[in-house]
Amino acid sequence: MAAKVNVDTCVGCGACEGACPVEAITLEDGKSKIDESKCVECGSCVSACPVEAISL
Ligand code: SF4
Ligand code: SF4
């Protein structure tokens, strides 16, 4: 299972995008979007998110 974003919680800060080592995360319409085909489940984005919007 790739990391998942709770779009209701995401505030669009971009911290997860910078934390992802495989560039699986982009911001679209002010929300984080994870490309499940790229995600290697490292957990960096989960740790980086200040509002706990990402889960693995
Ligand atoms: S779990 Fe790791 S590889 Fe997957 S989106 Fe988050 S930072 Fe990127
Ligand atoms: S770090 Fe969290 S709040 Fe910031 S863009 Fe990513 S998912 Fe959204």
Side-chain angles (χ1 to χ4, degrees):
M1 284 288 285
K4 269 204 181 332
V5 178
N6 180 337
V7 293
D8 294 327
T9 310
C10 174
V11 294
C13 70
C16 55
E17 187 178 25
C20 182
V22 296
E23 296 179 8
I25 307 180
T26 50
L27 283 181
E28 277 181 24
D29 299 327
K31 300 288 180 180
S32 168
K33 185 167 192 295
I34 296 176
D35 182 338
E36 294 186 6
S37 68
K38 286 188 184 171
C39 176
V40 294
E41 302 175 16
C42 71
S44 292
C45 57
V46 177
S47 309
C49 182
V51 295
E52 297 181 14
I54 309 180
S55 55
L56 258 181

